Structures are given as structure tokens and as C-alpha cells.
Amino acid sequence: MRENSRPKGFVGRALSWLLPFLVISAAYLYAFPQPNIFYAVVVLLHALGGVAATILLVLFLLRSLQEASFVARAGWLLVAAGAVLGIILIKTGTSRPEWKWLYLHILISLVGVGLLIADNVGRRGWLSATAGMVLLRTAACLLVIAGASYGAHYVRQSWQTRSRIQNPAMAPDTMNAEGDGPEGAFFPSSAQVYGKQKIPSKFFMESDSCKRCHEDIYNQWFSSAHHFSSFNNQWYRKSIEYMQDTIGTKPSKWCGGCHDPAVLYSGLMDTPIKQIVHRDESQAGLGCMMCHSIADVKSTMGQGDFYLEYPKLHELAATKNPVARAFHDFLIRLNPEPHRRVFLKPFMKTQTAEFCSTCHKVHLDVPVNHYRWFRGFNEYDNWQASGVSGQGARSFYYPPKPQQCADCHMPAESSHDAGNINGMVHSHRFPGANTAVPTANEDVPQLKLTEGFLNSGALTVDIFAISPAQAQLKPGATAQADVNTTFAVGEEAETKIIPGAETTMGEVLPITAPLNRVQPALHRGDTVRVDVVVRTKKVGHFFPGGTVDAYDTWLELKGTDDKGQTIFWSGMVEDNGKGPVEKGAHFYRSLQVDAHGNPINKRNAWSTRAVVYVRLIPPGAADTVHYRVAIPESAGNKITLHARLCYRKFSWYGTHEAFAGQPDPSSPNLVTPDYDDRPTVFTASLSGVSAKQEKIPDVPIETVAENEVTLPVVAHNAPASVPQTIVKKEEWQRWNDYGIGLFLQGDLKAAAAAFQKVTEADPNNPDGWVNIGRVAVQEGDMERARTVLEKALALSPNLARANYFYARVLRADGNYEGAGSRLRTVLAQYPRDRVALNDLGRVLFLQRKYPEAVKVLQSIFAIDPEDLQAHYNLMLCYSGLGDEKRAKEHQSRYMRFKADESSQAITGPYRQQHPEDNNERQSIHEHVSVKLPAPTPNHVATAASAIRLEKTNQPSISTPGGSK
């Protein structure tokens, strides 16, 4: 071995210092990325040291390489190659597309250093006697390097597991225990800032600083609803102005936590927004920093339940000084990992739905509504409990693979922005259903994107069945949720379906279906019932979602004959399709009233005291809508029925109220936090509204899905058509959808008949048998349920939904061991199904296995700390254990979240005055046509003519809480 293998002279001494520094600094930079000055200095020194070492290596290799040993030569050459790659990376940066070169730089540099260390210790006499010893020594050094590298990689990745969203073991018993509490600067929002400090407004207003590296994402965001979440959105702006005028500025912080970061977190929201509405802070919306500076999400209880962090180096990132800005951007490109860790927490990718839940799930309570706890809108819980999430065991349908929020609302788009993955980024246009904002902004590309999203086949409409009309249905009982909610309750709670009075007597009337297959003849002078099925296919939450009290979403059915006569029209829109929707339409919404029975129609959720009805469609489910259609004697030889699922954000009234609404100045000022008796007039000035032009925008009506069938018409005395059904294996889902809609509205006998058709279409499909079992369990017919569920289990023994309903049968038998075993089979596949967990806890309670029951029930709070049934069951379990303290803790939560059943009395006078809404409230109901002009051979009915006829019989009125 040559003695002169170590570099000598100035070059040698310099390299002997630089190489250890580069190795140590590289280990620190790789293992401990941190967004601070010290780390940035080390990054810079590592780059400068690498440049210096590269120059020195060139000098050394030219003079001394031939004198070194084979191992040393290989080591120096690899280090030199790593140095060249390092110089290239200084130019290109180390963003994701350059990762392959970064890791190659690390790998060959480490191998080179390992060989140099092996050579160095060999010259000191360790394992240097033979060639075999040299190989052993070299392998040992490389193994030590590999072990250290693995340790550094483990440390680097460990932060991924530390940054997770986890629910607390117990929900607060009052809103005062949420966030910073009543004394907090941001309360009643649950949002908090580390150190309880305020954040300068400009932090949330400098999204353009992100544009330097993420231009495509910035441009996408600029048109998005997130950008227009604040007072640059007239609908939101008007609601907060009205809220502050009515109940003060502090309660409005409940909204500001998610909508107005530049205003709230700087302390500006203590000022009435009317005084500062045109300031830049009020027009900022949700910028990049709002979502990406969330450092921790405390729970999935929503309400802005997160911690914000003000990054230490933000001032440098957003500086206007071109030199400092270029220096910052250079450091970010050189080592973007600290930047990524600050602005892209692991939960943003791995727990997308939980992250989104923090603002897309809300509740109100005394500090906001001066009343009690009330669930507002809630996109998260129903997703979590459904088949779409892959966590619900009892769904009707499941997608090919589970989906999270970003799969639909942040689809991949082509981009070369920094941080792209294989040339793609997640879209920050956040496609959804907001057509109002791009309409007001005259943003055509964003409007087209939204319309395309709505028309993408997420729902279907099927004019499915027809039957002879019976006596008109009379109003009866309607199901109400146990939990206090303005939203619907889906698979996240045990379904309690009240059979309709009409379905509990007699036989199921025969139907003719599917109509596109059978095409029965309609008889002039007859009245028939037409059934239309609306199905959610690619929707991960209730349809519609969001603030469902504020939209127009309805199903339209229009019948026209071959003479051009309109013979039926439900869901007509006044003013030639630009006005309000007729009152008798089948709506999908939440209709709420205040303490005086006035409708909640000004986004005044804090005044909600009772819910008249909620009708939404869960994911992977259906709604069956009934129409009572009279066939006139003058009808032609064919009638075409056209069904259309329509959506308008916002409602006609809501848009007019937001832009031009004001209380009638001639009426008394009868308004409190509980009610607003003042009529609304649309005479306010449009000057300064938050829109492109100072006018009321014409928000488009979108056709989400539609269907059409044409049926022949015959004389009244023609032979009666025999009811006929056609069942095909490939169309089993149509019968299943029809049955699901009937089942969810409580028409249990008809639902069972529809599900029977599924079994006829494909006897080997367990879904038909399972769904008949669902119906039988609801009816209490456990023997029938046992029979059909055993057929399903014979086809698919581990099918979770079959095992779940079979457990219900066994529990009714008193076979608690058997029921518990079946439920454990369910939970082995779906451990986060809250209803199955509650049922298992209840079974254990009935067996007096209180400690086991407590353990199962407490696990539910990891999914939802506000679960009503879990608190009730735990109250019983702790009472059984004699632990009154814990029993009372859960009793207080149960009473907090449970519905105020007495509030339904408020809806009585409203329903008497609004028969159409009272009809819609009934689980099973029919819709009739608006009044149409008497058909004549040459007359074609239009919306305008229908309205004129209807209005001639109606006085013009102004009702409290309504409009003139």
C-alpha cells in the first residue's frame, strides 16, 4: 500500500477540514430539517463548502491521485462525482423532480467517504495485512455509513407519525370550553394561535409571494371559492353585516375563524364590518397561508378546531426587497424540505377529510345563538360513516376504492410548478357547486369548471314506475333525528324509520316498471302516480352539501304531449326560468324557522329554533319522488315526461336579499337574536356591492341530471293496461335504487317488493336479500329477516352488512353472545363504524359486562367525541358500575347534543300557513302540477302563462320574515 495516499499541503489540510464538515452538515440537514435561521445558514455553508471542496478536489486529483491506493482513488473519484452533482443541484435546486439526482448525490458521496475512511483506518494498521482484510475493512466502514444513513432517514421520517389528527377522549360540555374560551380573542370560533398571539393581516394577504414558485396553483386559487370566502363575496358579506347588526360583532367570529383570517386573527373583527368592508384585509378571502399555516388540527368536531402557527421566516419570504427575496427563493430551491414541513403537514395528505372537517363541519351554541347546541352543516360525519370512505359497514353501495375529499374536489391538473409530482398538482380551483361567485365575478372559466363538475354524472334521474293513483295522501307523522341538527343524519347514527300510515295497511299496489322498457298506455281522463328515482353515484357526502338552507335544489317533472301542450309541470320556475321556484316542488334542503315561525332565509342560522323538514340524499343512496299526474281528455296520442334535477346557488330569494334586501322601513323594528318579524323589501342600494357589476346577478340554474320517457295515450274507455314489470340482471340496480328511496321514506312494504325484484334479477346477488332483511328488521318481522339474511350469508358469509343486520335479529332473540360475535365480524372489517360499535357496546351492557362495554364505547370518541348514542350508552354503563361521577359527565354531553323535541311546536303555525312545505315535511307525499292554462289545440303552456294564471287567483302579500 502506498504511504502517500492522504492529501498534503494546503489543499490536503483544507480538504481534511471541509470533507468532515460537509458530511456532518449533510447529516444534520437531512435528518433535522427546521425552518429557522441556523438551518438556513448551514444550508448556505454546505453549498459554499461544496463549491470550495470541488475546486480543491480538482487540484488534488490532478496532482496526487496516482499516488493513492486503489480504495482511496475510488473514494476520491466518487466524492468528486458527488461534488459535480452537488454543483448541478445548486443550479437546479432539490425540488421533487430533482430528488433522483439529490439521492444519487448523497449515495455516491457517502460511498466515497466510506471508502476514504476505510483507506484512512487501514493506513493506521487496522485490518491491513491482506487483500481479504482490506475487503472486510471496506465493507465494515460502508456498513457503518449505511447504518448511520438509515438512522438519519428514520429521524427524518419520524415527524410524519407525530403530526396526526386525533380526537380528544371527551367532548366539552359547553361551548365555553372550546378554543380559547369566552376570554379568547377569536372565540366563539374554536381556532387558536400558538402563544395566543395575533397574526398581522398581511400574513394572510400575500399569496402572490407563493406565485413565484407555484404560479399554476396561484392562478387556480385566484378564481376559487376559497379566495372569495370573505367580504369579497356579497352573499357572505350581507350575512355577516346582518348578523353583526342583530347580535353584535363577537358572535360573528364564529364565522370568521374559517372565512376571514386577515380580519379575525389581526383583531379587526371587533370592528363592525360595515366600517371596514372595502379594506384590503376584508377582501383577502382564504389565501394560501390560511390553510397551509394550520400546524395542528385538534379534532374532527369542526368549528375551526385548529392551531395556527406564524412562521418565523415569513417576513423574509414576503419581503419586497428584490435581493432578500431572491436569496430566500434560492435557499428554498436549494433545500425545500423545511418549507414543505411548515406548509404541507402530513395530515394534509394522509388525513385529508379530517383536515377539511375543521371548517366543513360546524355547530352553534349559546355564545352564538343564545339558545343551545345545534348542528349546522356537516360534510364530514356522513362521509366517514358511508361506503365512500370505506369505513361504513352498512352502506347500500361502495365505490371501487375508498375516496377522500381531495379525490373529487382537488383533482390532478397538469403543471410544472415546484412540488409537482410527475407533472401534476392537485387543483386549487376546488371544483364544487358554487356557481354564484363566478357568476357575480363574471369568471367564465371558473363557472364552466363548476358546471362541468355538477354535470359530470355524480347523480342520476330515472323516471321509473307508474301506477294508478289512489286517494290523496294525508299528512302524517314524520321522522325526526334524535340529535339536534339543521342537517340530515345518515349512516353515522342508527336509522329510525317510521313507516308511513299508508304503508301499514293493505297490499302493495302493482306498478308498471321500468317505464323505458314497458311503456304502458295512459288513458285520457285518468290520474296516475309517476315515481322518479334520484340516485347519488359519485357524491361522498349528502346531496346537496354545504349550507343547505340557502340553495334552490329541486326535482322538476314536466309532461308535454305531441300537440305541444304542457299537461303537467311540477318544479316550474317563475319569470321564464329566472324567478323563484314554485312552492310545491320537491326540494332538497333544510327548512328552518325562528322562534316566531319565520323562515330562516337570510343566512341567519343563529335564530334557528326548529326544523320544519330536512331532505337530503346520502352518498350511495336514492330518493323516490311521487307525482300525481292527471291525463286531460284533450291530450294527444303521446305524452313525454321529462325529469330534471335542478340546482341554483343561491336561492332566488337569497340572492335578492344579499344584494338588495333591507328591512321594510315602514314596519316596526321587531328583531331579536331569537326572531326577526320584519318584512324584507328589495330596495337597498347596489352601490359598492361585492361583485363585478353593481347589479343583482342572474345565477344560473344547472341541470345536474335528467331523464325522459314517452308513453302512448289512449281513449278513456280503451281496455285497461295490465301492470307489468320487466326484470333484467344487468338492471338490478334500478330496482335496488327504487327500493332504497322507498325504504328511506318509510314505505316499507313497497320497498320490500322492489328489493324482491332484485333477488329475481340475480338470486346470487346478496344485496337483494340483505335489503329485504333491512326492511324486515325495521318492521320488527325478525323471522322474515332471519330467513332472507341467512340466504345472503350463504352467498357471502363475511359480508359485513349482512352480519350487522343478522346481529340485530339475534339481539332481538336475546342471543347476546351470537349478536356480539356477528358484530365483531363486522368490526374486524370496518373498525370505525360507529353504529356497529354502539350496538356491540349495548349488547355488552345487556350482558352486564360493563367494563368491556365501556372500552368499546369509549373507542367511538376517537371517531366522533360528540356521538350522542355513545354518551347515552356510557351513561348507562357507568351507572351500572356505580360510577355516578362519570355517568353524570356523559349525561351532560347527552343532554347537550340531544334534540329539543319540544321545539317542533314552533313549526305548527308555519305549516298551517304553508301547506306546500307541510306536504314536503311528510316522509311519503305526492306532488301535483302547478295551475296550467286550459289546454287548447294551439296553446303551448309556458312558465309565464302558468304564473299569470296562478297569480290571478292570489293576492299580493307580505309576511314577517318574507319579502314584498
Side-chain angles (χ1 to χ4, degrees):
M1 182 177 292
R2 301 176 183 175
E3 295 295 327
N4 249 348
S5 59
R6 189 167 50 172
K8 297 179 180 179
F10 170 76
V11 172
R13 288 193 298 273
L15 284 174
S16 66
W17 282 99
L18 274 175
L19 287 183
F21 167 76
L22 289 172
V23 171
I24 294 170
S25 62
Y28 166 71
L29 294 175
Y30 185 79
F32 304 103
Q34 299 170 60
N36 56 40
I37 294 293
F38 178 76
Y39 187 90
V41 169
V42 175
V43 170
L44 188 61
L45 291 176
H46 184 82
L48 293 174
V51 172
T54 303
I55 296 170
L56 294 173
L57 275 171
V58 171
L59 297 175
F60 167 73
L61 293 176
L62 290 174
R63 294 189 314 184
S64 307
L65 188 62
Q66 295 300 320
E67 302 175 4
S69 67
F70 173 78
V71 173
R73 284 201 302 273
W76 284 116
L77 288 173
L78 285 173
V79 169
V84 171
L85 276 175
I87 296 296
I88 294 172
L89 289 170
I90 290 175
K91 171 65 176 175
T92 63
T94 60
S95 61
R96 188 180 294 271
E98 274 65 54
W99 275 9
K100 56 183 180 295
W101 303 115
L102 171 65
Y103 280 100
L104 183 61
H105 162 71
I106 293 171
L107 175 64
I108 63 178
S109 298
L110 286 176
V111 172
V113 168
L115 293 176
L116 291 176
I117 293 173
D119 178 72
N120 186 272
V121 298
R123 284 185 289 100
R124 297 176 184 274
W126 186 62
L127 296 177
S128 58
T130 65
M133 293 292 189
V134 172
L135 288 174
L136 182 61
R137 182 184 72 227
T138 303
C141 290
L142 291 176
L143 282 174
V144 170
I145 292 288
S149 300
Y150 176 80
H153 182 73
Y154 178 82
V155 172
R156 181 184 178 92
Q157 296 300 318
S158 63
W159 81 296
Q160 301 270 5
T161 58
R162 293 195 300 267
S163 185
R164 286 193 59 79
I165 299 171
Q166 294 180 315
N167 279 315
M170 181 77 84
D173 61 349
T174 71
M175 196 178 208
N176 288 343
E178 298 173 5
D180 287 327
E183 304 306 317
F186 315 128
F187 185 81
S189 170
S190 295
Q192 295 174 272
V193 177
Y194 283 131
K196 295 188 177 182
Q197 61 178 323
K198 292 182 180 178
I199 299 178
S201 292
K202 64 179 182 178
F203 174 66
F204 300 104
M205 299 165 58
E206 294 171 329
S207 296
D208 57 341
S209 65
C210 304
K211 184 180 181 180
R212 302 199 299 267
C213 295
H214 305 286
E215 184 172 3
D216 290 341
I217 289 175
Y218 173 86
N219 291 335
Q220 293 162 8
W221 162 84
F222 193 84
S223 291
S224 73
H226 277 191
H227 181 197
F228 295 94
S229 71
S230 191
F231 305 106
N232 50 3
N233 175 333
Q234 180 63 26
W235 289 269
Y236 176 76
R237 168 185 165 182
K238 185 61 173 286
S239 69
I240 300 301
E241 290 175 347
Y242 173 62
M243 183 180 193
Q244 292 185 345
D245 287 346
T246 306
I247 58 176
T249 58
K250 189 171 181 64
S252 68
K253 296 179 182 181
W254 173 73
C255 307
C258 286
H259 280 268
D260 316 301
V263 179
L264 177 67
Y265 298 111
S266 64
L268 281 174
M269 209 153 189
D270 291 314
T271 304
I273 200 62
K274 285 183 177 179
Q275 299 178 20
I276 58 172
V277 71
H278 293 297
R279 286 177 52 165
D280 291 342
E281 295 92 333
S282 304
Q283 300 292 311
L286 287 180
C288 306
M289 293 301 116
M290 176 59 211
C291 294
H292 287 283
S293 66
I294 293 177
D296 180 40
V297 176
K298 296 173 284 180
S299 76
T300 60
M301 290 185 284
Q303 204 74 4
D305 200 15
F306 52 70
Y307 269 107
L308 289 176
E309 185 174 38
Y310 184 52
K312 299 179 178 65
L313 299 181
H314 168 71
E315 296 289 342
L316 180 61
T319 180
K320 301 300 181 183
N321 184 301
V323 176
R325 189 168 57 197
F327 178 66
H328 168 271
D329 292 353
F330 168 74
L331 287 177
I332 293 295
R333 285 195 297 271
L334 192 58
N335 189 339
E337 185 62 20
H339 178 79
R340 184 170 76 95
R341 293 193 176 200
V342 169
F343 295 115
L344 190 63
K345 298 293 190 295
F347 55 72
M348 297 179 183
K349 297 193 298 181
T350 62
Q351 294 179 284
T352 308
E354 288 77 9
F355 176 53
C356 296
S357 77
T358 194
C359 282
H360 290 269
K361 176 182 176 181
V362 302
H363 60 265
L364 300 84
D365 211 330
V366 176
V368 180
N369 64 8
H370 302 80
Y371 175 42
R372 54 162 298 160
W373 189 93
F374 228 117
R375 168 66 68 214
F377 82 94
N378 180 2
E379 308 291 20
Y380 174 76
D381 283 347
N382 190 241
W383 166 85
Q384 185 278 320
S386 74
V388 177
S389 71
Q391 299 176 39
R394 297 156 292 109
S395 298
F396 294 106
Y397 295 108
Y398 291 80
K401 63 178 183 178
Q403 293 185 303
Q404 296 202 50
C405 308
D407 293 321
C408 293
H409 297 289
M410 296 185 72
E413 283 195 22
S414 177
S415 172
H416 295 292
D417 277 2
N420 76 80
I421 300 177
N422 299 322
M424 306 296 287
V425 297
H426 284 290
S427 174
H428 283 61
R429 286 184 180 272
F430 305 104
N434 194 326
T435 55
V437 167
T439 298
N441 292 340
E442 299 181 4
D443 186 340
V444 175
Q446 182 72 12
L447 180 60
K448 285 187 177 297
L449 177 86
T450 306
E451 290 176 330
F453 183 82
L454 286 168
N455 302 332
S456 62
L459 292 98
T460 59
V461 171
D462 187 2
I463 306 175
F464 185 73
I466 199 167
S467 59
Q470 302 301 304
Q472 290 194 353
L473 301 179
K474 296 180 180 180
T478 184
Q480 294 294 325
D482 285 337
V483 68
N484 217 27
T485 180
T486 63
F487 211 67
V489 177
E491 294 174 82
E492 66 271 25
E494 184 175 348
T495 306
K496 295 182 179 179
I497 295 173
I498 300 175
E502 293 77 10
T503 73
T504 58
M505 299 179 293
E507 298 298 321
V508 177
L509 294 174
I511 63 170
T512 296
L515 291 184
N516 66 322
R517 300 283 186 191
V518 180
Q519 295 188 329
L522 303 175
H523 289 65
R524 295 183 181 90
D526 280 2
T527 299
V528 296
R529 188 169 94 163
V530 177
D531 293 339
V532 182
V533 180
V534 182
R535 156 89 184 274
T536 50
K537 283 197 169 181
K538 296 188 294 182
V539 182
H541 46 72
F542 280 112
F543 173 84
T547 50
V548 291
D549 60 307
Y551 316 146
D552 280 335
T553 310
W554 74 102
L555 184 66
E556 176 190 75
L557 181 67
K558 187 176 182 181
T560 55
D561 66 8
D562 51 359
K563 298 178 182 179
Q565 299 177 127
T566 299
I567 60 98
F568 183 90
W569 200 347
S570 173
M572 181 197 71
V573 180
E574 298 180 13
D575 193 17
N576 286 321
K578 295 185 178 182
V581 184
E582 60 103 352
K583 297 176 183 178
H586 186 79
F587 287 100
Y588 295 101
R589 64 177 176 179
S590 172
L591 177 58
Q592 306 152 36
V593 292
D594 66 20
H596 282 188
N598 302 306
I600 300 297
N601 53 18
K602 303 180 185 67
R603 310 295 302 279
N604 50 324
W606 66 87
S607 293
T608 296
R609 295 297 178 266
V611 177
V612 178
Y613 69 83
V614 178
R615 177 161 293 104
L616 308 175
I617 309 177
D623 180 39
T624 300
V625 189
H626 309 296
Y627 294 94
R628 192 177 186 87
V629 180
I631 311 300
E633 293 286 355
S634 61
N637 295 322
K638 291 182 180 179
I639 290 178
T640 297
L641 296 173
H642 186 93
R644 191 167 67 114
L645 180 61
C646 304
Y647 175 86
R648 176 166 59 187
K649 181 165 181 173
F650 293 85
S651 69
W652 179 91
Y653 180 96
T655 295
H656 281 70
E657 198 281 329
F659 279 78
Q662 65 178 358
D664 187 342
S666 65
S667 299
N669 194 33
L670 301 176
V671 57
T672 74
D674 298 308
Y675 60 84
D676 187 349
D677 289 342
R678 303 170 300 178
T680 298
V681 292
F682 302 139
T683 56
S685 170
L686 293 170
S687 176
V689 294
S690 297
K692 186 87 169 186
Q693 297 187 47
E694 293 180 339
K695 66 176 186 178
I696 300 174
D698 180 17
V699 180
I701 294 172
E702 303 297 338
T703 299
V704 179
E706 57 187 331
N707 186 232
E708 185 174 280
V709 296
T710 299
L711 302 176
V713 181
V714 297
H716 181 69
N717 58 0
S721 300
V722 177
Q724 180 184 0
T725 58
I726 295 178
V727 177
K728 293 191 174 185
K729 183 176 180 179
E730 62 271 20
E731 292 190 335
W732 72 270
Q733 284 194 16
R734 295 182 70 188
W735 283 101
N736 202 44
D737 295 344
Y738 182 58
I740 291 168
L742 295 170
F743 173 73
L744 293 179
Q745 64 189 221
D747 196 346
L748 300 182
K749 291 187 181 298
F755 293 140
Q756 185 67 42
K757 295 294 184 181
V758 176
T759 67
E760 294 172 14
D762 185 1
N764 294 320
N765 181 349
D767 278 310
W769 304 112
V770 169
N771 289 341
I772 296 173
R774 291 179 197 254
V775 174
V777 167
Q778 288 291 341
E779 290 181 316
D781 187 351
M782 295 305 175
E783 286 308 310
R784 171 68 170 154
R786 189 194 316 278
T787 301
V788 293
L789 290 170
E790 285 175 352
K791 289 183 180 180
L793 290 167
L795 293 169
S796 182
N798 291 319
L799 187 64
R801 47 194 180 274
N803 277 280
Y804 172 78
F805 290 108
Y806 200 67
R808 295 282 297 274
V809 173
L810 295 176
R811 175 176 152 185
D813 290 343
N815 183 356
Y816 299 141
E817 285 294 335
S821 176
R822 294 286 178 174
L823 288 168
R824 289 185 178 91
T825 299
V826 173
L827 292 167
Q829 301 171 64
Y830 298 94
R832 287 173 60 84
D833 188 293
R834 288 156 49 186
V835 172
L837 286 166
N838 264 311
D839 277 13
L840 180 57
R842 184 73 173 181
V843 166
L844 292 168
F845 167 78
L846 293 171
Q847 293 177 288
R848 299 182 182 273
K849 296 179 179 179
Y850 301 133
E852 292 178 51
V854 165
K855 185 177 180 181
V856 169
L857 293 167
Q858 284 180 332
S859 69
I860 295 172
F861 297 143
I863 307 166
D864 181 20
E866 297 169 318
D867 189 281
L868 181 75
Q869 196 63 40
H871 284 295
Y872 178 76
N873 287 332
L874 280 166
M875 176 183 70
L876 298 180
C877 287
Y878 280 120
S879 294
L881 289 168
D883 190 339
E884 292 303 318
K885 178 178 179 295
R886 284 190 172 89
K888 288 181 178 178
E889 288 177 351
H890 289 285
Q891 181 185 24
S892 68
R893 273 73 178 177
Y894 174 73
M895 295 307 296
R896 183 187 183 200
F897 303 136
K898 191 178 187 309
D900 178 9
E901 296 172 358
S902 65
S903 68
Q904 280 300 302
I906 300 173
T907 69
Y910 176 87
R911 290 186 284 121
Q912 288 180 331
Q913 297 172 21
H914 300 83
E916 298 92 352
D917 291 331
N918 188 47
N919 180 59
E920 193 73 0
R921 173 186 168 92
Q922 314 311 312
S923 295
I924 305 172
H925 61 275
E926 294 176 339
H927 294 273
V928 297
S929 176
V930 297
K931 293 181 179 179
L932 296 168
T936 62
N938 298 317
H939 183 86
V940 178
T942 64
S945 61
I947 294 162
R948 282 195 297 271
L949 182 65
E950 189 170 15
K951 285 186 175 179
T952 57
N953 299 316
Q954 293 183 355
S956 176
I957 59 173
S958 175
T959 58
S963 64
K964 286 186 179 178

